[in-house]
Amino acid sequence: MYRIGVDLGGTNIKAGIMDESYKILIKDSVPTGAERGFEAVVKDMAELVLNLMQRKSISEKDVIGVGIGSPGSIDPAKGVVTYSNNLDWNDAPLADELMKMLPFKVKVSNDANCATLGEVKAGAATNVDNVVLLTLGTGVGGGIVSEGKILEGGHAGGMELGHTMLLRGGAACTCGRKGCLEAYASATALIRQTKEAAKENPESKIHEICGNDLSKVNGKTAFLAAQMDDETGKKVVSEYIGYLGDGIVDFINVFRPDVVLLSGGICNEGKNLTDPVNEFVQKNCYATANNFIPKVVTAILGNDAGLIGAAALVD
Amino acid sequence: MYRIGVDLGGTNIKAGIMDESYKILIKDSVPTGAERGFEAVVKDMAELVLNLMQRKSISEKDVIGVGIGSPGSIDPAKGVVTYSNNLDWNDAPLADELMKMLPFKVKVSNDANCATLGEVKAGAATNVDNVVLLTLGTGVGGGIVSEGKILEGGHAGGMELGHTMLLRGGAACTCGRKGCLEAYASATALIRQTKEAAKENPESKIHEICGNDLSKVNGKTAFLAAQMDDETGKKVVSEYIGYLGDGIVDFINVFRPDVVLLSGGICNEGKNLTDPVNEFVQKNCYATANNFIPKVVTAILGNDAGLIGAAALVD
């Protein structure tokens, strides 16, 4: 039997067919073209799935179902995208519409939830039951797997792990509050922190690294400066580790998972990121002397995590 | 059939027998006497249960099982109290030991988890599947019910909802970090905030209310001053609502429950507390325009919540 996963993004619709051990047999993508409206996007999604099946000569009866990871707030019970800013969808009945075009069961969950489940099925948390994943990108997203299943929350709009307070009254967050984890631990935030520190420290190697053009600062710049023993770079990285570390401690104090996964571009730093984060977390969790403290590790599936997790939505 | 609940506290062991609709038929308590050691406490627990059964002429075969709500970090799968500061227990095999003395299935969970489940079974959240409860007392504790069941987390030491960051680097928390929700939204924190504001404002009616003795300030003082139109009192209450409100918004953004319950002494303020908290929450949750925002209401079972929830642990 085969499973089909769809990773619906603002830019592309990716789809893949997997065997039962979540090995991807074929995958492909088409542009989303969300501006064409909901029906056109769903139609392309169905055609992409059928095309992949045809190319691998897979017949309907051998497919368990189709899972979709979608951006935005999802009602998984109804298969509805209640709100997606990226797609400009409101209460879009994604599962029902796709089931009109495909002879399969269709399930929908949030893309970050799917990425978490993907890492559990075939990635950095294989055979682990309780996982917290944080994605450090433009924003901070994430997902929770509890007892082997995605924790969806009671209603659409949950699992917004980046929109939990870290420093009340602090940096403005995209959600309207001031001081959310996202405003301190996203790649966007790290870039802001790096630029601010560079401006205050004209002698910093950060200027050299970005060719004296601070608009070229990216998520790697501070780490690179720190490795060159630049004091400003070291301070930016150390403060960033503290922000991220406290966010992770919060989720450990609530979920006490087996492992915490980090994904997103900043994870390319590898142990330069995870070693100090683990040191911070080991010191700062609640009742450290008496309770299990999970390791923080980087996710390994990259862009395929969402596809694989989506394929795992259908039982 | 009957259910038996035990609420194990630092001061007293309470036990009660309930019918299947969680109506308490009889309850009683004995001093915990934790200083006598684990075995003596468990023996008293067993004797209290047998005594209640005898007084109501309830026989073994009519009892579904015994549930225990315990302070501290619990491993519910093993029925072990991994750590309790109040009881001075480490890895105490509570379920196994009690099962040696009683012919019933025994389940253990954290006391705040049990209080949450109690409100779901017979209190302010009856027939509701997804609940977040925060207790505002000496500290801030809480529990989550997800899809009708206690969310335990992967390991002992989870569900420490009070030990999530609110204002990084702020007020010292009992857990060792600075700025946890507990350090801003507990009754202890409100008392501190009230005292500090009174000291800075000699004209405030807070001085009058506490007989010019700030050591007599309690969790009601600022609310009372606010009702007397005292500017300092109004400011303290308004700031406290903001701290608590942001903590509640965090848990809504993660769990998006059907309802948020508040318990603890501060809840005696009733709508003076919940009305402004609801106003804050309605404004500040993630994607307010597009997603369900739960109401914040006070719990109703008081001290019986833990007993009832404990009785509901055994299926």
Side-chain angles (χ1 to χ4, degrees):
Chain A
M1 297 292 282
Y2 301 97
R3 292 174 172 275
I4 299 177
V6 177
D7 185 1
L8 173 60
T11 311
N12 289 303
I13 303 166
K14 295 176 208 161
I17 301 180
M18 276 147 258
D19 65 16
E20 292 198 62
S21 61
Y22 297 96
K23 189 183 160 204
I24 297 175
L25 306 175
I26 185 169
K27 64 177 177 176
D28 207 345
S29 70
V30 294
T32 308
E35 68 285 353
R36 300 172 303 148
F38 172 66
E39 282 77 13
V41 173
V42 179
K43 189 161 171 282
D44 283 0
M45 207 180 281
E47 282 173 4
L48 179 59
V49 167
L50 293 170
N51 173 273
L52 292 178
M53 285 174 62
Q54 196 175 28
R55 281 153 68 187
K56 292 300 281 188
S57 305
I58 288 169
S59 67
E60 282 177 32
K61 64 176 178 31
D62 293 327
V63 174
I64 295 170
V66 177
I68 307 171
S70 166
S73 302
I74 313 295
D75 182 333
K78 294 183 184 158
V80 168
V81 180
T82 60
Y83 175 66
S84 167
N85 184 39
N86 282 346
L87 300 169
D88 195 20
W89 289 0
N90 276 290
D91 289 323
L94 182 53
D96 280 353
E97 195 65 24
L98 194 60
M99 281 193 281
K100 288 182 194 165
M101 303 178 200
L102 291 175
F104 307 126
K105 264 200 293 191
V106 175
K107 294 276 185 186
V108 186
S109 188
N110 173 273
D111 48 8
N113 288 346
C114 289
T116 313
L117 188 60
E119 294 288 342
V120 168
K121 293 297 177 185
T126 311
N127 296 322
V128 165
D129 274 347
N130 298 283
V131 177
V132 171
L133 177 140
L134 289 174
T135 56
L136 312 171
T138 309
V140 172
I144 309 284
V145 166
S146 174
E147 298 181 7
K149 290 186 177 171
I150 291 175
L151 188 67
E152 293 279 3
H155 297 262
M159 294 303 136
E160 290 292 347
L161 305 186
H163 298 289
T164 55
M165 206 51 100
L166 183 74
L167 202 166
R168 190 169 188 269
C173 184
T174 53
C175 75
R177 292 205 294 172
K178 286 182 177 177
C180 286
L181 178 61
E182 170 161 314
Y184 287 92
S186 61
T188 313
L190 175 59
I191 291 167
R192 184 190 75 234
Q193 292 151 12
T194 306
K195 286 180 181 174
E196 284 173 3
K199 278 181 199 162
E200 285 169 18
N201 295 280
E203 80 292 353
S204 165
K205 289 180 183 158
I206 290 170
H207 296 281
E208 186 184 316
I209 292 166
C210 65
N212 287 308
D213 178 358
L214 288 185
S215 73
K216 291 186 180 154
V217 166
N218 60 33
K220 298 173 189 170
T221 311
F223 281 95
L224 203 55
Q227 284 152 39
M228 292 161 73
D229 213 30
D230 176 66
E231 289 305 321
T232 305
K234 286 197 284 188
K235 189 154 177 277
V236 171
V237 168
S238 160
E239 284 178 357
Y240 178 78
I241 297 294
Y243 297 136
L244 175 60
D246 266 324
I248 293 172
V249 167
D250 287 352
F251 295 120
I252 292 174
N253 287 352
V254 175
F255 296 104
R256 203 59 70 155
D258 301 307
V259 66
V260 176
L261 304 182
L262 300 179
S263 71
I266 292 177
C267 295
N268 293 330
E269 300 299 331
K271 288 197 174 301
N272 289 336
L273 176 74
T274 54
D275 281 355
V277 164
N278 274 303
E279 198 183 327
F280 185 97
V281 163
Q282 292 288 326
K283 273 187 202 153
N284 287 285
C285 284
Y286 183 77
T288 48
N290 299 282
N291 288 315
F292 170 79
I293 300 174
K295 281 273 167 8
V296 182
V297 303
T298 52
I300 59 173
L301 294 178
N303 289 331
D304 287 340
L307 211 56
I308 294 171
L313 290 176
V314 181
D315 285 324
Chain B
M1 296 293 283
Y2 302 97
R3 293 173 172 277
I4 299 177
V6 178
D7 184 3
L8 174 60
T11 311
N12 289 303
I13 303 166
K14 294 176 209 160
I17 301 180
M18 275 147 259
D19 64 17
E20 291 197 65
S21 61
Y22 296 97
K23 189 183 158 202
I24 298 176
L25 306 174
I26 186 171
K27 65 177 177 176
D28 207 345
S29 70
V30 295
T32 308
E35 69 285 353
R36 299 171 303 149
F38 172 65
E39 282 78 13
V41 172
V42 179
K43 191 160 169 285
D44 283 0
M45 207 180 280
E47 283 174 4
L48 179 58
V49 166
L50 293 170
N51 173 273
L52 291 179
M53 286 174 61
Q54 197 174 26
R55 281 153 68 185
K56 292 300 281 186
S57 305
I58 288 169
S59 67
E60 281 177 34
K61 66 175 178 31
D62 292 327
V63 173
I64 295 170
V66 177
I68 306 171
S70 167
S73 302
I74 313 295
D75 182 333
K78 294 183 184 158
V80 168
V81 180
T82 60
Y83 174 66
S84 168
N85 184 40
N86 282 345
L87 301 168
D88 196 20
W89 288 1
N90 276 289
D91 288 322
L94 182 52
D96 280 353
E97 196 64 23
L98 193 61
M99 280 193 280
K100 287 182 193 164
M101 303 178 201
L102 291 175
F104 307 126
K105 264 200 293 190
V106 175
K107 294 276 184 184
V108 186
S109 188
N110 173 273
D111 47 9
N113 288 347
C114 288
T116 313
L117 188 58
E119 295 287 342
V120 168
K121 293 296 177 185
T126 311
N127 296 322
V128 165
D129 274 347
N130 297 285
V131 176
V132 170
L133 178 141
L134 290 175
T135 56
L136 311 171
T138 309
V140 171
I144 309 283
V145 166
S146 174
E147 297 182 6
K149 290 184 177 173
I150 291 174
L151 188 67
E152 294 279 3
H155 296 263
M159 294 303 134
E160 291 292 348
L161 305 187
H163 298 290
T164 53
M165 205 52 98
L166 183 74
L167 203 166
R168 191 168 188 269
C173 183
T174 53
C175 75
R177 292 204 295 172
K178 286 180 177 179
C180 286
L181 178 61
E182 170 160 315
Y184 286 92
S186 62
T188 313
L190 174 58
I191 291 167
R192 185 191 76 235
Q193 292 152 10
T194 307
K195 286 180 182 175
E196 284 173 3
K199 278 180 199 163
E200 286 170 17
N201 295 279
E203 80 292 352
S204 165
K205 288 181 182 158
I206 291 171
H207 295 282
E208 185 184 316
I209 292 166
C210 66
N212 288 306
D213 179 359
L214 288 184
S215 74
K216 290 185 181 154
V217 166
N218 60 34
K220 298 173 190 171
T221 311
F223 281 95
L224 203 54
Q227 283 152 40
M228 292 163 72
D229 213 30
D230 177 66
E231 289 304 321
T232 306
K234 286 195 285 186
K235 189 154 178 274
V236 171
V237 169
S238 160
E239 284 177 358
Y240 177 78
I241 297 295
Y243 297 136
L244 175 60
D246 266 324
I248 292 171
V249 168
D250 287 352
F251 295 121
I252 292 174
N253 286 352
V254 174
F255 295 103
R256 203 57 70 155
D258 300 307
V259 66
V260 176
L261 303 182
L262 300 179
S263 69
I266 292 177
C267 295
N268 293 330
E269 301 299 331
K271 290 197 173 299
N272 289 335
L273 177 73
T274 53
D275 281 355
V277 163
N278 274 304
E279 197 183 329
F280 185 97
V281 163
Q282 292 287 329
K283 273 186 202 155
N284 287 285
C285 283
Y286 183 76
T288 48
N290 301 280
N291 287 314
F292 170 79
I293 301 175
K295 281 274 168 4
V296 181
V297 302
T298 52
I300 59 172
L301 294 178
N303 290 330
D304 287 340
L307 211 56
I308 294 171
L313 290 176
V314 182
D315 285 322

